[in-house]
Amino acid sequence: MTQRSDKQDPYAEREAQKYEKPIPSREYIMDLLEQAGRPMSREAIAEALKLESDDELEGLRRRLRAMERDGQLLFNRRREYGLISKMDLVRGRVQGHPDGFGFLIPDDGSDDLFLSGREMRVAFHGDRVLGRVAGIDRRGRREGAIVEVLERAHKTVVGRLFIEGGVAFVVPDNKRISQDILVPTENLGPAEHNQIVTVEIAQPPTPFRQAIGQVVEVLGDHMAPGMEIDVAIRAHSLPQVWSPQTEAQIAELSEEVKEEHKQEPGRENIRHLPLVTIDSEDARDFDDAVYCEPNRKGWRLLVAIADVSHYVEPDSPLDKDAIERGNSVYFPERVIPMLPEILSNGLCSLNPEVDRLCMVCDMQLDKTGVLKGYTFYPAVMYSHARLTYNKVAGMLIDEDADLCRQYAGVLPHLHNLYQLYQTLRQRRSKRGAIDFDTTETRIVFGEDRKIESIVPTERNDAHKLIEECMIIANVATARFLLEHKVPALYRVHEGPKPEKLEALREFLGEFGLKLGGGDSPEGKHFSKLLEQIAERPDAHLIQTVMLRTLQQAVYSPDNVGHFGLAFDAYAHFTSPIRRYPDLLVHRAIRHVIKHKKGGFLQRKKLPPFRYDHAAMENLGEHCSQTERRADEATRDAVDWLKCEFMLDKVGEEYNGTISSVTSFGLFIELDEVFVEGLVHVTSLENDYYHFDPAHHRLIGERQRQMFRLGDRVRVKLARVDLEERKMDFMLLESLTGETFHGELPERGGKGGGRGKKTGKKTAGKKRSSKKSTSRSDEGGGRKKTGKKTSKKSTRRRGKKKTD
């Protein structure tokens, strides 16, 4: 008989706050299994926990299933639950590759496991799985085997329908899903051969057969114009329909803030302060407002953020839909919002000249821009002006008389903000934050939605002013969370991995350059090197290699600092309308404020927050994944649009820059039109080419012609493949014209290919790498919307406003 547990559940109070009929916490159940030293059946666990009523037993069943789904427990063939941590199993998410293999990305941050095509038969890209280390392959990689699929990432898949020889199947549009979906003839509905359809997965794949699906939607004929966004939404499984429960909940909301909410206890009235919003011309949701005033100590800066946590309560239908989405997704001329429009553009949006609820970060900075103090409090505010970046720049930099007269009431406060911004920029340089000089672009549409041009965007001082205000508010937020030891999500950006750092140092050595900091360089060392190379003709090449050395920023409850911004702690506080991690941060702040007033400081212990570390860990991983999902979806749509733009330009010649070098060819970004395509290695003439990955170059074996990252070339557009969203170029000449002197790199299975002796067009291989974008989580563009104008524009993939 299993010994009963008499130890008190340390998380009982938290569970009582979260559930009307609480049951033992996950930690308590895991502790029980740890003490038992063996797997236990559900009945044995219930007996040990002294659970007897039907409600308690049903609650336990659901909790155990949830723990199984989250990879904390494994349900074995003896129908017993065991601890994953005791089974040498790896929990993580599958990342598929177009060529059929994949990787298991472990949740614990350890090295990825290579998954062969055979292992990938049972899983799709994005699935959460349990795996084990099955061995080491000939390239030294850890090989994995999938033990169990914990959670399926795709309920539906969009793709092209083929009906051949009486057999119907769908080839997924998402190239990371390499398995076709079988569709029985009775599940085809009205769909026809060669149409783009959405299939619902009726039976997931097994080791012995493919997935089976049912056509639930016909999007249109293959390659029909205007489908790029609909396809991208479905290909990446972006939620776009509100649940009936959410629809019912928002139906009860009014257009204006209720008076009783403005006057609730603890909410301060700051309507007299001339707060303003500063956004792009086409923005529709305003989640931040700013105000600055000088004082004898330096500066008082207020950053007021939409009080989304007041309206979106935990576990409500709104909250569940927001978690599923994770963030808003901005496509050209279309937005998939995280929150319904009545909130995102209405009640939560800090619209001009109306009362709005907000959460305020009230900061004191000294005369050198050092953050000396901060307080957080809920408030009711009144935006005194809706300003744009261009208008603010026009007043502060160009001194436009008309604009200055129009906004005379807030102009002195804008000058205060600008003075503080200049101080913060100086602090930024001294701190060593990394500033990469990258070009962002936007697509300009005509009235018929035909692309007129792709143009670079310019960031003026007004963009940077808001960026610095948001950054310092996020720093204050992180310090507040650490001070009160409340579980929360931090925006963490780790330094480069050792192997990438070693490759970077080797690369820099060839240029006579050195990166400081030894084995653990900091952001300031990268920043110093960027200053050193600023005037060099090869600065773009060196900067690109440095940029690709950095890791991606992610959300995590474990604060490890922000490498790119050079801060010890950083949390996202400023965009709860469009990022779920920010909403979680607001809830953590509200939890502290509430219990501060309850006198917890005298007891020196904060009552348990409804989210513990494990819950935050799961939410952080989920939000990081939805952020990547959004980036991939928008990139797919924009790549389609760019290919569509270039369809009638086949045969035209362009100058461009080598933006990436691979074993199979050169990716070229064209000047002026800012699109990217491939010069396949087999289209390079009259030589064999060797790939040198350490130095990002291809080298001709006989003529020693060298093509290196950052080199200038002239190319001709040879082919546009709208289905694959790629373009092929023919190389006409190298504008750099460098010849390699030295020993050729060994092929080692990675060599290039034999160049062609003629100028015939080649199809080119499927892309296996994408152009890098900034990973330091700062600056860049801000919110985008689907607002229509006579001249419409949208930003291409790249950096969003991630402050």
Side-chain angles (χ1 to χ4, degrees):
M1 179 179 291
T2 304
Q3 184 176 356
R4 290 173 181 250
S5 175
D6 296 318
K7 179 182 174 184
Q8 182 67 32
D9 185 350
Y11 297 96
E13 184 179 347
R14 183 196 68 200
E15 296 299 311
Q17 289 179 347
K18 292 171 63 175
Y19 302 105
E20 184 178 347
K21 297 179 180 179
I23 59 171
S25 66
R26 292 188 181 206
E27 294 90 344
Y28 195 45
I29 294 171
M30 293 172 72
D31 184 57
L32 171 69
L33 291 170
E34 177 80 30
Q35 292 182 25
R38 59 178 177 81
M40 296 171 62
S41 67
R42 188 171 78 231
E43 292 75 16
I45 294 172
E47 182 180 357
L49 296 175
K50 302 178 182 177
L51 304 179
E52 297 177 351
S53 72
D54 290 344
D55 286 341
E56 289 176 328
L57 294 174
E58 174 62 16
L60 176 65
R61 183 191 70 80
R62 293 184 179 184
R63 172 142 292 176
L64 291 174
R65 288 297 303 272
M67 293 175 72
E68 180 188 356
R69 185 176 63 249
D70 291 341
Q72 294 175 308
L73 303 179
L74 178 68
F75 188 61
N76 64 24
R77 295 182 181 180
R78 297 183 60 184
R79 305 185 66 77
E80 295 175 328
Y81 290 93
L83 292 168
I84 295 298
S85 58
K86 295 289 187 181
M87 301 180 183
D88 294 326
L89 297 178
V90 179
R91 181 182 65 185
R93 191 172 294 278
V94 172
Q95 183 181 86
H97 189 278
D99 291 340
F101 59 87
F103 297 91
L104 196 168
I105 314 298
D107 291 345
D108 61 11
S110 59
D111 291 341
D112 300 346
L113 273 66
F114 174 77
L115 299 174
S116 67
R118 174 183 289 270
E119 291 296 327
M120 286 294 293
R121 288 179 183 175
V122 300
F124 286 157
H125 169 71
D127 286 352
R128 287 186 56 76
V129 302
L130 279 178
R132 60 179 175 82
V133 179
I136 305 295
D137 70 7
R138 59 184 177 83
R139 295 175 60 182
R141 298 176 299 188
R142 294 199 305 171
E143 285 188 311
I146 295 176
V147 175
E148 184 175 348
V149 178
L150 299 173
E151 183 181 353
R152 296 288 179 181
H154 305 277
K155 295 178 182 178
T156 59
V157 172
V158 66
R160 186 178 174 187
L161 175 66
F162 291 88
I163 304 176
E164 298 176 355
V167 177
F169 58 96
V170 171
V171 177
D173 182 80
N174 187 342
K175 300 308 174 187
R176 290 187 180 274
I177 302 178
S178 57
Q179 307 99 310
D180 297 341
I181 316 296
L182 294 177
V183 182
T185 53
E186 63 270 21
N187 291 349
L188 281 173
E192 299 177 0
H193 175 69
N194 212 32
Q195 288 186 318
I196 302 297
V197 301
T198 301
V199 289
E200 185 176 64
I201 306 299
Q203 297 179 37
T206 73
F208 310 107
R209 67 157 171 76
Q210 295 166 270
I212 297 175
Q214 176 178 354
V215 174
V216 293
E217 183 181 21
V218 178
L219 296 180
D221 294 330
H222 173 57
M223 304 223 2
M227 282 203 308
E228 66 280 350
I229 294 176
D230 286 332
V231 170
I233 288 171
R234 290 159 178 80
H236 294 275
S237 301
L238 295 177
Q240 59 171 334
V241 178
W242 304 112
S243 67
Q245 295 83 0
T246 292
E247 294 281 7
Q249 186 178 355
I250 63 177
E252 300 174 358
L253 298 175
S254 62
E255 294 291 332
E256 297 180 357
V257 178
K258 295 180 180 179
E259 285 299 321
E260 59 264 32
H261 294 166
K262 300 177 189 178
Q263 298 170 13
E264 62 187 2
R267 188 172 295 278
E268 297 195 20
N269 184 356
I270 60 169
R271 286 177 283 195
H272 62 286
L273 294 178
L275 287 139
V276 298
T277 61
I278 305 175
D279 288 88
S280 59
E281 278 78 359
D282 59 354
R284 293 169 61 192
D285 54 329
F286 313 115
D287 46 18
D288 55 78
V290 290
Y291 167 75
C292 179
E293 65 182 28
N295 55 35
R296 60 184 179 82
K297 295 180 180 179
W299 306 92
R300 181 194 182 197
L301 173 65
L302 267 68
V303 174
I305 304 298
D307 194 358
V308 177
S309 63
H310 173 86
Y311 297 102
V312 184
E313 296 181 355
D315 298 325
S316 66
L318 262 175
D319 187 49
K320 291 175 182 177
D321 276 359
I323 290 175
E324 185 182 16
R325 296 181 181 219
N327 46 257
S328 298
V329 186
Y330 298 91
F331 290 104
E333 299 188 301
R334 185 169 173 185
V335 182
I336 309 298
M338 186 182 81
L339 298 174
E341 188 170 343
I342 191 171
L343 289 172
S344 60
N345 295 348
L347 270 175
C348 291
S349 182
L350 306 182
N351 297 330
E353 301 179 352
V354 292
D355 291 345
R356 286 290 182 259
L357 305 184
C358 62
M359 181 68 75
V360 178
C361 178
D362 194 334
M363 294 167 280
Q364 177 63 46
L365 297 92
D366 70 14
K367 294 179 181 179
T368 64
V370 175
L371 181 62
K372 290 296 186 180
Y374 47 82
T375 57
F376 289 85
Y377 50 85
V380 55
M381 63 158 285
Y382 180 92
S383 173
H384 287 242
R386 180 271 198 263
L387 301 174
T388 67
Y389 296 122
N390 290 336
K391 285 182 178 180
V392 172
M395 286 183 275
L396 298 179
I397 301 167
D398 302 331
E399 298 182 352
D400 185 295
D402 290 338
L403 285 172
C404 289
R405 278 193 299 271
Q406 183 181 353
Y407 295 104
V410 297
L411 186 58
H413 308 291
L414 293 179
H415 282 295
N416 291 338
L417 279 166
Y418 194 47
Q419 290 176 34
L420 175 59
Y421 154 71
Q422 291 168 322
T423 303
L424 291 174
R425 287 297 293 186
Q426 292 175 3
R427 290 289 312 169
R428 181 190 186 96
S429 299
K430 290 179 182 178
R431 193 174 72 241
I434 305 174
D435 280 318
F436 286 110
D437 182 20
T438 57
T439 300
E440 298 181 46
T441 61
R442 59 188 175 91
I443 299 174
V444 180
F445 293 90
E447 283 302 323
D448 57 355
R449 206 175 179 275
K450 182 177 176 62
I451 300 176
E452 292 186 353
S453 61
I454 301 172
V455 299
T457 58
E458 294 184 7
R459 295 179 67 240
N460 56 40
D461 277 2
H463 290 87
K464 299 172 185 177
L465 181 157
I466 287 296
E467 179 185 306
E468 290 299 327
C469 290
M470 299 304 110
I471 286 175
I472 199 67
N474 287 338
V475 171
T477 300
R479 293 180 184 178
F480 180 86
L481 297 171
L482 289 170
E483 175 188 350
H484 295 292
K485 299 178 182 178
V486 58
L489 287 183
Y490 297 90
R491 184 64 167 179
V492 301
H493 183 227
E494 297 187 71
K497 292 184 177 180
E499 61 271 18
K500 292 226 175 179
L501 191 59
E502 182 181 352
L504 175 62
R505 292 192 186 282
E506 181 184 347
F507 173 79
L508 293 172
E510 289 217 349
F511 295 86
L513 296 170
K514 186 176 180 181
L515 176 69
D519 292 335
S520 301
E522 299 176 9
K524 62 184 179 183
H525 299 113
F526 275 74
S527 183
K528 184 177 180 180
L529 182 56
L530 286 172
E531 290 178 11
Q532 291 176 5
I533 66 171
E535 302 302 321
R536 291 175 58 126
D538 54 8
H540 178 73
L541 160 66
I542 298 168
Q543 176 185 273
T544 302
V545 176
M546 291 173 66
L547 176 61
R548 294 178 183 179
T549 303
L550 301 180
Q551 300 189 56
Q552 274 188 312
V554 297
Y555 294 106
S556 171
D558 300 313
N559 174 50
V560 297
H562 199 295
F563 182 84
L565 291 176
F567 283 119
D568 293 333
Y570 195 73
H572 274 170
F573 162 74
T574 55
S575 296
I577 289 178
R578 57 193 179 90
R579 290 189 307 224
Y580 195 79
D582 301 52
L583 175 55
L584 290 173
V585 164
H586 278 236
R587 287 176 180 162
I589 293 170
R590 188 179 291 276
H591 176 75
V592 174
I593 292 172
K594 174 184 175 182
H595 292 287
K596 255 187 177 180
K597 294 182 178 179
F600 88 87
L601 288 178
Q602 285 69 39
R603 301 195 302 271
K604 294 186 178 180
K605 187 178 180 182
L606 187 69
F609 188 31
R610 65 174 295 108
Y611 304 98
D612 58 16
H613 185 276
M616 283 294 182
E617 197 168 37
N618 289 334
L619 286 165
E621 199 278 335
H622 170 73
C623 291
S624 297
Q625 186 271 328
T626 60
E627 181 183 44
R628 291 190 296 270
R629 178 182 69 183
D631 287 343
E632 290 177 0
T634 52
R635 182 170 58 238
D636 275 0
V638 171
D639 284 350
W640 179 310
L641 286 168
K642 288 183 175 180
C643 286
E644 193 175 45
F645 176 60
M646 298 297 288
L647 274 174
D648 61 353
K649 296 173 178 59
V650 173
E652 295 185 13
E653 298 180 6
Y654 300 91
N655 289 344
T657 302
I658 298 178
S659 58
S660 184
V661 182
T662 71
S663 61
F664 55 83
L666 311 167
F667 284 105
I668 314 296
E669 185 176 83
L670 303 185
D671 298 350
E672 299 178 1
V673 290
F674 302 97
V675 301
E676 190 181 58
L678 176 71
V679 173
H680 197 268
V681 67
T682 56
S683 71
L684 298 174
E685 294 184 345
N686 300 323
D687 214 338
Y688 288 102
Y689 283 84
H690 294 250
F691 176 46
D692 182 358
H695 300 95
H696 305 269
R697 60 193 178 191
L698 283 177
I699 304 167
E701 184 176 290
R702 184 167 58 87
Q703 298 180 355
R704 299 300 178 105
Q705 172 74 55
M706 180 170 63
F707 298 102
R708 189 173 59 176
L709 182 71
D711 281 356
R712 302 279 296 148
V713 293
R714 186 162 183 80
V715 296
K716 179 169 70 173
L717 179 60
R719 188 176 73 102
V720 177
D721 187 332
L722 193 57
E723 182 178 4
E724 294 289 337
R725 301 176 182 84
K726 67 182 183 181
M727 286 165 269
D728 288 338
F729 297 136
M730 294 292 296
L731 183 70
L732 299 179
E733 64 176 311
S734 170
L735 303 179
T736 305
E738 293 189 62
T739 302
F740 178 71
H741 302 283
E743 292 187 12
L744 291 171
E746 293 184 7
R747 287 189 183 277
K750 295 182 180 180
R754 177 62 186 264
K756 298 178 78 67
K757 294 185 178 180
T758 68
K760 292 180 181 178
K761 298 176 183 178
T762 56
K765 289 177 73 174
K766 190 179 292 184
R767 290 191 188 190
S768 62
S769 65
K770 294 285 185 183
K771 185 181 175 185
S772 294
T773 58
S774 173
R775 298 183 177 185
S776 63
D777 192 39
E778 60 168 308
R782 299 195 74 199
K783 297 160 286 190
K784 294 154 285 185
T785 71
K787 186 177 181 180
K788 294 186 178 181
T789 60
S790 58
K791 287 277 186 176
K792 292 159 282 192
S793 66
T794 182
R795 188 177 302 283
R796 71 163 182 176
R797 70 177 176 90
K799 295 187 293 181
K800 300 184 290 293
K801 176 200 169 190
T802 49
D803 41 77

